[in-house]
Amino acid sequence: MKKFIAAFDQGTTSSRTIIFDCRGRIVSKGQTEFSQLYPKEGWVEHDPEDLFSSQLTSWKIALKKGNIKIEDIQAIGIANQRETTLVWDRYTGKPIYNAIVWQCRRTAEYCEKIKAKYGTLIYDHTGLQPDAYFSASKIRWLLDNVPYAAERAEKGELLFGTVDTYLIWRFTGGKVHATDYTNASRTMLFNIHTLTWDKDLLKLFGIPACMMPHVLPSGSDYGITSKKVLGAEIPICAAVGDQQGALFGHLCVKAGDIKNTYGTGCFLLMNTGDRAVQSKNGLLTTLTASLRKPSYALEGSVFIGGAVVQWLRDELGLIKSSSETEALAKSVPDTGGVSFVPAFVGLGAPHWNSECRGLIYGITRGTNKAHIVRAALESIAFQVFDVVRAMERDVRMNICRLNADGGASANNFLMQFQSDILGAEVAIPSVTEMTALGAAYLAGLYCGYFRDFEELRENCSATRMFCPEINDAQRAEKLKNWERALMTTLYKA
């Protein structure tokens, strides 16, 4: 047996390759950042070549840093930023336009019109609320705004894919056009009950079915990499949307298991087993990663999570690096009455308001940098709280433990505050690269590198555990202040 599994973790701001051994331990990693493109206010794009080349560069870095021979890689799993949309020429492989990123709001007005008339139909079929966040309206925009794109699509000359599909296409030399259930479920075009592309929704959005990729379980055969492209012929044995990848990495495979990834945004998923829960509290129903038929999950997305710290650094200059925020937050006993609602691009679940904008509330002459930084970190935890409470109401159960991962999970102040405000345990695993680990687990199980779930559970343990340290009255007061700022934000919209 070969020694390692490689996970390609293609994210919103960087591409990474993380190489794991048979114990699920990281042996090497490579990371390459790429440019964010903002052609207009509210528009976000990526150069498709940047996505591909940065992933390729990170692969080479990881092999070199770990002194790993390419022939020792048994399989590759791909995890990716979801909803980001690409359309390319079937014959040349050339994209017709930049990738339109999940954060992009250019189709928000169009989606509001769709929602008014077809919102119930879309939710019943896809588990999603019509929003510019998802892929369908982005495809429609490309067909409407790129010269001759609609005509070419009808002729079968153009292909659509989320980032996983595009990378698989490139790495296999154009031989495989496929995606997995989790990514398909985020397009607003996939029926999560029949597990097929939905003919009614393809017709509604005017998208030819011939553009759509073949849909497979997350752990499956996605072809062999081209030696000319990657340097060797290696099986691609998994593709998974990043958040479902993280859920699988935590081994949240039973109904009631819940995780949150603290990344650019925050993404909470709760496994609901074979029951597709219809949310009455602003959440989405989606599919989980699997090697066979997927289970269902409830999902709530917070648009601005760790990105609020980037904003403090890049736009306000209050900090030089995110690592400073923990000490600054702890340097003051509280926020001094400041509340921060980082609705830079509107609010996601459970509010789904694309019109509201950010608010810093309660500033006085005594407000200083530490208060604002602390309020920014607390805003991440408050937004997560809102989603968790919505989940609890939908499934009629209390959450006792939240599994956490992502870059901001390294911040001890944030994790303790999250536990305090939830009144629940927050568990951080020994490997925090859960998105990549999930992709590696899926690929490894499919190709036989890992034996079974029991073997994976032996590798999985929480190394940091946070328990509530405040009482109910203190929690209620903090939540009251958050609710006041939140209502002000929504009212102003």
Side-chain angles (χ1 to χ4, degrees):
M1 179 182 288
K2 294 184 180 180
K3 298 177 181 178
F4 306 112
I5 292 284
F8 289 173
D9 183 3
Q10 202 297 302
T12 306
T13 57
S14 69
S15 295
R16 299 187 298 165
T17 296
I18 303 178
I19 300 175
F20 295 90
D21 66 12
C22 62
R23 299 283 295 171
R25 296 172 299 197
I26 296 173
V27 294
S28 185
K29 66 170 71 174
Q31 179 169 342
T32 305
E33 294 187 356
F34 52 85
S35 298
Q36 308 295 301
L37 307 176
Y38 306 101
K40 293 183 181 180
E41 182 182 355
W43 291 30
V44 190
E45 298 176 0
H46 293 152
D47 182 336
E49 192 59 36
D50 284 349
L51 300 179
F52 171 72
S53 62
S54 61
Q55 191 64 67
L56 190 60
T57 299
S58 74
W59 161 250
K60 294 175 181 176
I61 292 171
L63 290 175
K64 185 176 181 180
K65 283 177 64 176
N67 194 27
I68 295 169
K69 296 178 181 178
I70 198 168
E71 55 266 27
D72 284 335
I73 304 297
Q74 182 160 334
I76 292 169
I78 296 175
N80 60 283
Q81 53 168 311
R82 304 171 304 168
E83 299 97 16
T84 295
T85 298
L86 299 101
V87 174
W88 64 93
D89 187 292
R90 176 188 295 272
Y91 305 107
T92 67
K94 184 177 179 180
I96 65 170
Y97 189 84
N98 282 336
I100 302 180
V101 179
W102 60 272
Q103 298 163 312
C104 187
R105 305 304 298 171
R106 76 185 66 189
T107 59
E109 184 177 346
Y110 169 77
C111 286
E112 286 301 315
K113 293 177 182 178
I114 289 288
K115 184 176 183 178
K117 193 170 183 180
Y118 299 105
T120 300
L121 170 71
I122 290 172
Y123 181 76
D124 287 346
H125 288 211
T126 70
L128 307 178
Q129 299 287 348
D131 194 85
Y133 182 27
F134 307 111
S135 307
S137 65
K138 303 179 195 299
I139 304 172
R140 186 65 255 166
W141 188 93
L142 289 168
L143 297 181
D144 286 341
N145 290 276
V146 176
Y148 310 110
E151 295 90 334
R152 294 179 65 198
E154 289 289 350
K155 293 177 182 177
E157 296 176 4
L158 300 181
L159 299 177
F160 153 73
T162 42
V163 174
D164 60 312
T165 304
Y166 180 68
L167 291 180
I168 290 167
W169 176 269
R170 291 291 300 267
F171 284 127
T172 61
K175 292 181 179 179
V176 178
H177 182 223
T179 190
D180 84 307
Y181 288 129
T182 67
N183 279 294
S185 73
R186 307 298 293 182
T187 61
M188 214 158 66
L189 296 168
F190 191 74
N191 191 309
I192 62 172
H193 308 290
T194 64
L195 301 182
T196 58
W197 294 115
D198 194 286
K199 293 180 181 178
D200 292 337
L201 296 181
L202 289 171
K203 183 178 180 180
L204 172 63
F205 287 97
I207 297 170
C210 57
M211 296 182 69
M212 310 309 288
H214 186 50
V215 186
L216 301 168
S218 302
S220 194
D221 179 3
Y222 288 91
I224 305 293
T225 62
S226 166
K227 187 174 183 179
K228 291 181 180 179
V229 177
L230 207 65
E233 294 183 345
I234 304 171
I236 302 175
C237 292
V240 62
D242 51 9
Q243 302 314 317
Q244 286 96 333
L247 189 73
F248 198 88
H250 281 287
L251 300 181
C252 291
V253 296
K254 302 191 304 296
D257 290 344
I258 182 173
K259 74 88 194 174
N260 182 45
T261 297
Y262 296 83
T264 303
C266 288
F267 302 90
L268 284 91
L269 273 81
M270 175 192 284
N271 191 316
T272 60
D274 59 4
R275 183 166 68 107
V277 176
Q278 287 202 326
S279 176
K280 296 181 180 179
N281 295 284
L283 302 179
L284 307 176
T285 307
T286 193
L287 298 174
T288 66
S290 68
L291 280 80
R292 289 174 292 277
K293 183 179 178 180
S295 297
Y296 293 96
L298 280 174
E299 175 167 347
S301 301
V302 172
F303 292 157
I304 301 296
V308 71
V309 176
Q310 294 174 330
W311 182 76
L312 294 176
R313 179 193 67 194
D314 298 340
E315 307 305 328
L316 294 191
L318 293 183
I319 56 173
K320 293 181 180 179
S321 72
S322 58
S323 61
E324 298 174 34
T325 59
E326 183 175 335
L328 275 169
K330 289 180 176 179
S331 71
V332 288
D334 52 41
T335 66
V338 175
S339 295
F340 195 154
V341 184
F344 300 155
V345 291
L347 289 171
H351 312 288
W352 293 109
N353 188 315
S354 62
E355 298 302 319
C356 62
R357 291 295 179 261
L359 172 74
I360 301 178
Y361 180 89
I363 295 175
T364 68
R365 181 63 183 83
T367 300
N368 62 37
K369 177 170 70 172
H371 293 127
I372 293 175
V373 169
R374 179 168 178 139
L377 290 178
E378 289 187 1
S379 76
I380 301 172
F382 282 126
Q383 291 178 97
V384 170
F385 169 89
D386 287 346
V387 178
V388 171
R389 284 296 174 264
M391 286 183 173
E392 290 181 328
R393 288 192 289 268
D394 277 334
V395 299
R396 298 181 181 179
M397 63 177 285
N398 292 325
I399 304 303
C400 298
R401 174 170 170 158
L402 177 69
N403 297 291
D405 66 273
S409 68
N411 189 304
N412 291 310
F413 169 81
L414 174 59
M415 293 299 97
Q416 183 58 58
F417 188 80
Q418 186 72 83
S419 176
D420 288 342
I421 212 66
L422 283 176
E425 294 178 345
V426 175
I428 317 294
S430 54
V431 177
T432 57
E433 302 285 0
M434 279 293 143
T435 296
L437 184 60
Y441 278 170
L442 287 159
L445 287 168
Y446 182 80
C447 73
Y449 181 80
F450 297 118
R451 185 177 65 252
D452 52 30
F453 278 104
E454 292 309 311
E455 180 182 3
L456 300 185
R457 291 190 190 285
E458 291 173 6
N459 301 337
C460 188
S461 62
T463 55
R464 291 156 59 221
M465 186 74 74
F466 297 86
C467 299
E469 295 180 350
I470 62 175
N471 60 39
D472 290 344
Q474 292 170 312
R475 183 177 302 112
E477 182 63 26
K478 292 179 184 297
L479 289 171
K480 179 181 177 182
N481 293 336
W482 164 251
E483 187 72 15
R484 181 172 56 197
L486 185 62
M487 290 301 103
T488 302
T489 305
L490 292 167
Y491 174 75
K492 293 294 183 182

CSV table of all heavy atoms in Angstrom, one decimal, residues 70-104:
chain,number,residue,atom,x,y,z
A,70,ILE,N,6.1,11.5,-5.3
A,70,ILE,CA,4.8,11.5,-5.9
A,70,ILE,C,4.2,10.1,-6.0
A,70,ILE,O,2.9,9.9,-5.9
A,70,ILE,CB,4.8,12.2,-7.3
A,70,ILE,CG1,3.4,12.7,-7.7
A,70,ILE,CG2,5.4,11.4,-8.3
A,70,ILE,CD1,3.4,13.6,-8.8
A,71,GLU,N,5.0,9.1,-6.2
A,71,GLU,CA,4.5,7.7,-6.4
A,71,GLU,C,4.0,7.2,-5.0
A,71,GLU,O,3.4,6.1,-5.0
A,71,GLU,CB,5.5,6.8,-6.9
A,71,GLU,CG,6.9,6.8,-6.2
A,71,GLU,CD,7.9,7.8,-6.8
A,71,GLU,OE1,7.4,8.8,-7.4
A,71,GLU,OE2,9.1,7.5,-6.7
A,72,ASP,N,4.2,7.9,-3.9
A,72,ASP,CA,3.7,7.4,-2.6
A,72,ASP,C,2.4,8.0,-2.3
A,72,ASP,O,1.8,7.7,-1.2
A,72,ASP,CB,4.7,7.8,-1.5
A,72,ASP,CG,6.0,6.9,-1.5
A,72,ASP,OD1,5.9,5.8,-1.9
A,72,ASP,OD2,7.0,7.4,-1.0
A,73,ILE,N,1.8,8.7,-3.2
A,73,ILE,CA,0.4,9.2,-3.0
A,73,ILE,C,-0.6,8.2,-3.6
A,73,ILE,O,-0.6,7.9,-4.8
A,73,ILE,CB,0.2,10.6,-3.7
A,73,ILE,CG1,1.2,11.6,-3.2
A,73,ILE,CG2,-1.2,11.1,-3.5
A,73,ILE,CD1,1.1,11.9,-1.7
A,74,GLN,N,-1.4,7.6,-2.7
A,74,GLN,CA,-2.3,6.6,-3.2
A,74,GLN,C,-3.6,7.2,-3.9
A,74,GLN,O,-4.1,6.6,-4.9
A,74,GLN,CB,-2.8,5.7,-2.1
A,74,GLN,CG,-3.7,4.6,-2.5
A,74,GLN,CD,-3.8,3.4,-1.5
A,74,GLN,OE1,-2.8,3.2,-0.8
A,74,GLN,NE2,-4.9,2.7,-1.5
A,75,ALA,N,-4.1,8.3,-3.4
A,75,ALA,CA,-5.3,8.9,-4.0
A,75,ALA,C,-5.4,10.3,-3.6
A,75,ALA,O,-4.7,10.8,-2.7
A,75,ALA,CB,-6.5,8.1,-3.5
A,76,ILE,N,-6.2,11.0,-4.3
A,76,ILE,CA,-6.5,12.4,-4.0
A,76,ILE,C,-8.0,12.6,-3.7
A,76,ILE,O,-8.8,12.0,-4.4
A,76,ILE,CB,-6.1,13.3,-5.3
A,76,ILE,CG1,-4.6,13.3,-5.5
A,76,ILE,CG2,-6.6,14.7,-5.1
A,76,ILE,CD1,-4.2,13.9,-6.8
A,77,GLY,N,-8.3,13.5,-2.8
A,77,GLY,CA,-9.6,13.9,-2.5
A,77,GLY,C,-9.7,15.4,-2.7
A,77,GLY,O,-8.7,16.1,-2.3
A,78,ILE,N,-10.7,15.9,-3.2
A,78,ILE,CA,-10.9,17.4,-3.5
A,78,ILE,C,-12.0,17.9,-2.7
A,78,ILE,O,-13.1,17.4,-2.7
A,78,ILE,CB,-11.1,17.7,-5.0
A,78,ILE,CG1,-10.0,17.2,-5.8
A,78,ILE,CG2,-11.4,19.1,-5.2
A,78,ILE,CD1,-10.2,17.4,-7.3
A,79,ALA,N,-11.7,19.0,-1.9
A,79,ALA,CA,-12.7,19.8,-1.2
A,79,ALA,C,-12.7,21.2,-1.8
A,79,ALA,O,-11.6,21.7,-2.1
A,79,ALA,CB,-12.5,19.8,0.3
A,80,ASN,N,-13.8,21.8,-1.8
A,80,ASN,CA,-13.8,23.1,-2.6
A,80,ASN,C,-14.8,24.1,-2.0
A,80,ASN,O,-15.8,23.7,-1.3
A,80,ASN,CB,-14.2,22.9,-4.0
A,80,ASN,CG,-15.5,22.2,-4.2
A,80,ASN,OD1,-15.7,21.1,-4.0
A,80,ASN,ND2,-16.5,23.0,-4.6
A,81,GLN,N,-14.5,25.4,-2.2
A,81,GLN,CA,-15.5,26.5,-2.0
A,81,GLN,C,-16.7,26.1,-2.8
A,81,GLN,O,-16.6,25.9,-4.0
A,81,GLN,CB,-15.0,27.8,-2.3
A,81,GLN,CG,-14.4,27.9,-3.7
A,81,GLN,CD,-14.1,29.4,-4.1
A,81,GLN,OE1,-15.0,30.2,-4.0
A,81,GLN,NE2,-12.9,29.6,-4.7
A,82,ARG,N,-17.9,26.2,-2.2
A,82,ARG,CA,-19.1,25.8,-2.9
A,82,ARG,C,-19.8,27.0,-3.6
A,82,ARG,O,-19.4,28.1,-3.3
A,82,ARG,CB,-20.1,25.2,-1.9
A,82,ARG,CG,-19.5,24.0,-1.1
A,82,ARG,CD,-20.5,23.6,0.0
A,82,ARG,NE,-20.8,24.7,0.9
A,82,ARG,CZ,-21.7,24.7,1.8
A,82,ARG,NH1,-22.5,23.6,2.0
A,82,ARG,NH2,-21.9,25.7,2.6
A,83,GLU,N,-20.7,26.7,-4.4
A,83,GLU,CA,-21.6,27.6,-5.1
A,83,GLU,C,-20.8,28.5,-6.2
A,83,GLU,O,-21.4,29.0,-7.1
A,83,GLU,CB,-22.3,28.6,-4.1
A,83,GLU,CG,-23.2,27.9,-3.2
A,83,GLU,CD,-22.6,27.6,-1.8
A,83,GLU,OE1,-21.5,28.2,-1.5
A,83,GLU,OE2,-23.1,26.8,-1.1
A,84,THR,N,-19.5,28.7,-6.0
A,84,THR,CA,-18.8,29.5,-7.0
A,84,THR,C,-18.9,28.8,-8.4
A,84,THR,O,-18.8,27.6,-8.5
A,84,THR,CB,-17.3,29.6,-6.5
A,84,THR,OG1,-17.2,30.3,-5.3
A,84,THR,CG2,-16.4,30.2,-7.6
A,85,THR,N,-19.2,29.6,-9.4
A,85,THR,CA,-19.7,29.1,-10.6
A,85,THR,C,-18.7,29.4,-11.8
A,85,THR,O,-18.2,30.5,-12.0
A,85,THR,CB,-21.0,29.8,-10.9
A,85,THR,OG1,-21.9,29.4,-9.9
A,85,THR,CG2,-21.6,29.4,-12.3
A,86,LEU,N,-18.4,28.4,-12.6
A,86,LEU,CA,-17.6,28.5,-13.8
A,86,LEU,C,-18.4,27.9,-15.0
A,86,LEU,O,-19.0,26.9,-14.8
A,86,LEU,CB,-16.3,27.8,-13.6
A,86,LEU,CG,-15.4,28.3,-12.5
A,86,LEU,CD1,-15.5,27.4,-11.3
A,86,LEU,CD2,-13.9,28.4,-13.0
A,87,VAL,N,-18.2,28.5,-16.1
A,87,VAL,CA,-18.6,27.9,-17.4
A,87,VAL,C,-17.5,28.0,-18.4
A,87,VAL,O,-16.8,29.0,-18.5
A,87,VAL,CB,-19.9,28.7,-17.9
A,87,VAL,CG1,-20.3,28.2,-19.3
A,87,VAL,CG2,-21.0,28.6,-17.0
A,88,TRP,N,-17.3,26.9,-19.1
A,88,TRP,CA,-16.1,26.8,-20.0
A,88,TRP,C,-16.5,26.1,-21.3
A,88,TRP,O,-17.5,25.4,-21.3
A,88,TRP,CB,-14.9,26.2,-19.3
A,88,TRP,CG,-15.1,24.8,-18.9
A,88,TRP,CD1,-14.7,23.6,-19.6
A,88,TRP,CD2,-15.6,24.3,-17.6
A,88,TRP,NE1,-15.0,22.5,-18.9
A,88,TRP,CE2,-15.5,22.9,-17.7
A,88,TRP,CE3,-16.1,24.9,-16.5
A,88,TRP,CZ2,-15.9,22.1,-16.6
A,88,TRP,CZ3,-16.5,24.1,-15.4
A,88,TRP,CH2,-16.4,22.7,-15.5
A,89,ASP,N,-15.6,26.2,-22.3
A,89,ASP,CA,-15.8,25.6,-23.6
A,89,ASP,C,-15.5,24.1,-23.5
A,89,ASP,O,-14.5,23.7,-23.0
A,89,ASP,CB,-14.9,26.3,-24.6
A,89,ASP,CG,-15.1,25.8,-26.0
A,89,ASP,OD1,-14.8,24.6,-26.3
A,89,ASP,OD2,-15.6,26.6,-26.8
A,90,ARG,N,-16.5,23.3,-23.9
A,90,ARG,CA,-16.4,21.9,-23.9
A,90,ARG,C,-15.1,21.4,-24.6
A,90,ARG,O,-14.5,20.3,-24.2
A,90,ARG,CB,-17.6,21.2,-24.4
A,90,ARG,CG,-17.6,19.7,-24.5
A,90,ARG,CD,-18.8,19.1,-25.3
A,90,ARG,NE,-20.0,19.4,-24.6
A,90,ARG,CZ,-20.6,18.6,-23.7
A,90,ARG,NH1,-19.9,17.5,-23.4
A,90,ARG,NH2,-21.7,18.9,-23.2
A,91,TYR,N,-14.8,22.0,-25.7
A,91,TYR,CA,-13.7,21.5,-26.6
A,91,TYR,C,-12.3,22.1,-26.3
A,91,TYR,O,-11.3,21.4,-26.4
A,91,TYR,CB,-14.1,21.8,-28.0
A,91,TYR,CG,-15.5,21.3,-28.4
A,91,TYR,CD1,-16.6,22.1,-28.5
A,91,TYR,CD2,-15.6,19.9,-28.5
A,91,TYR,CE1,-17.8,21.6,-28.8
A,91,TYR,CE2,-16.9,19.3,-28.8
A,91,TYR,CZ,-18.0,20.2,-28.9
A,91,TYR,OH,-19.2,19.7,-29.2
A,92,THR,N,-12.3,23.4,-25.9
A,92,THR,CA,-11.0,24.0,-25.6
A,92,THR,C,-10.6,24.0,-24.1
A,92,THR,O,-9.5,24.2,-23.8
A,92,THR,CB,-10.9,25.4,-26.1
A,92,THR,OG1,-11.8,26.3,-25.4
A,92,THR,CG2,-11.3,25.5,-27.6
A,93,GLY,N,-11.7,23.9,-23.3
A,93,GLY,CA,-11.5,24.0,-21.8
A,93,GLY,C,-11.3,25.5,-21.4
A,93,GLY,O,-11.1,25.7,-20.2
A,94,LYS,N,-11.5,26.4,-22.2
A,94,LYS,CA,-11.3,27.8,-21.9
A,94,LYS,C,-12.6,28.4,-21.2
A,94,LYS,O,-13.6,28.3,-21.8
A,94,LYS,CB,-10.9,28.7,-23.1
A,94,LYS,CG,-10.6,30.1,-22.8
A,94,LYS,CD,-10.2,30.9,-24.0
A,94,LYS,CE,-9.9,32.3,-23.7
A,94,LYS,NZ,-9.5,33.1,-24.9
A,95,PRO,N,-12.5,29.0,-20.0
A,95,PRO,CA,-13.6,29.6,-19.4
A,95,PRO,C,-14.1,30.8,-20.2
A,95,PRO,O,-13.3,31.5,-20.9
A,95,PRO,CB,-13.1,30.1,-18.1
A,95,PRO,CG,-11.9,29.2,-17.8
A,95,PRO,CD,-11.3,29.0,-19.1
A,96,ILE,N,-15.4,31.0,-20.2
A,96,ILE,CA,-16.0,32.1,-21.0
A,96,ILE,C,-16.0,33.4,-20.2
A,96,ILE,O,-16.2,34.5,-20.8
A,96,ILE,CB,-17.4,31.8,-21.5
A,96,ILE,CG1,-18.4,31.7,-20.3
A,96,ILE,CG2,-17.5,30.5,-22.3
A,96,ILE,CD1,-19.9,31.6,-20.6
A,97,TYR,N,-15.7,33.3,-18.9
A,97,TYR,CA,-15.7,34.5,-18.0
A,97,TYR,C,-15.0,34.0,-16.7
A,97,TYR,O,-14.7,32.9,-16.5
A,97,TYR,CB,-17.2,34.9,-17.7
A,97,TYR,CG,-17.3,36.2,-17.0
A,97,TYR,CD1,-17.3,37.4,-17.7
A,97,TYR,CD2,-17.5,36.2,-15.6
A,97,TYR,CE1,-17.5,38.6,-17.0
A,97,TYR,CE2,-17.7,37.4,-15.0
A,97,TYR,CZ,-17.7,38.6,-15.7
A,97,TYR,OH,-17.9,39.8,-15.0
A,98,ASN,N,-14.7,35.0,-15.9
A,98,ASN,CA,-14.2,34.7,-14.6
A,98,ASN,C,-15.2,33.8,-13.8
A,98,ASN,O,-16.3,33.8,-14.0
A,98,ASN,CB,-13.9,36.0,-13.8
A,98,ASN,CG,-12.6,36.6,-14.2
A,98,ASN,OD1,-11.7,36.0,-14.8
A,98,ASN,ND2,-12.4,37.9,-14.0
A,99,ALA,N,-14.6,33.1,-12.8
A,99,ALA,CA,-15.5,32.4,-11.8
A,99,ALA,C,-16.2,33.4,-11.0
A,99,ALA,O,-15.7,34.4,-10.5
A,99,ALA,CB,-14.6,31.5,-10.9
A,100,ILE,N,-17.6,33.3,-10.9
A,100,ILE,CA,-18.4,34.1,-10.1
A,100,ILE,C,-18.5,33.5,-8.7
A,100,ILE,O,-19.0,32.4,-8.5
A,100,ILE,CB,-19.8,34.4,-10.7
A,100,ILE,CG1,-19.7,35.0,-12.1
A,100,ILE,CG2,-20.6,35.3,-9.8
A,100,ILE,CD1,-21.0,35.2,-12.7
A,101,VAL,N,-18.0,34.2,-7.7
A,101,VAL,CA,-17.7,33.6,-6.3
A,101,VAL,C,-19.1,33.6,-5.5
A,101,VAL,O,-20.0,34.4,-5.8
A,101,VAL,CB,-16.7,34.4,-5.6
A,101,VAL,CG1,-16.4,33.9,-4.2
A,101,VAL,CG2,-15.4,34.4,-6.4
A,102,TRP,N,-19.1,32.7,-4.6
A,102,TRP,CA,-20.3,32.5,-3.8
A,102,TRP,C,-20.7,33.8,-3.1
A,102,TRP,O,-21.9,34.1,-2.9
A,102,TRP,CB,-20.1,31.4,-2.8
A,102,TRP,CG,-19.0,31.6,-1.8
A,102,TRP,CD1,-17.7,31.2,-2.0
A,102,TRP,CD2,-19.0,32.2,-0.5
A,102,TRP,NE1,-16.9,31.5,-0.9
A,102,TRP,CE2,-17.7,32.1,0.0
A,102,TRP,CE3,-20.1,32.7,0.3
A,102,TRP,CZ2,-17.4,32.6,1.3
A,102,TRP,CZ3,-19.8,33.2,1.5
A,102,TRP,CH2,-18.5,33.2,2.0
A,103,GLN,N,-19.8,34.7,-2.8
A,103,GLN,CA,-20.1,35.9,-2.1
A,103,GLN,C,-20.7,37.0,-3.0
A,103,GLN,O,-21.3,38.0,-2.5
A,103,GLN,CB,-18.8,36.5,-1.5
A,103,GLN,CG,-18.1,35.6,-0.5
A,103,GLN,CD,-16.6,36.1,-0.3
A,103,GLN,OE1,-15.9,36.3,-1.2
A,103,GLN,NE2,-16.2,36.2,1.0
A,104,CYS,N,-20.7,36.8,-4.3
A,104,CYS,CA,-21.1,37.8,-5.2
A,104,CYS,C,-22.6,38.1,-5.1
A,104,CYS,O,-23.4,37.1,-5.1
A,104,CYS,CB,-20.7,37.4,-6.6
A,104,CYS,SG,-20.9,38.7,-7.9
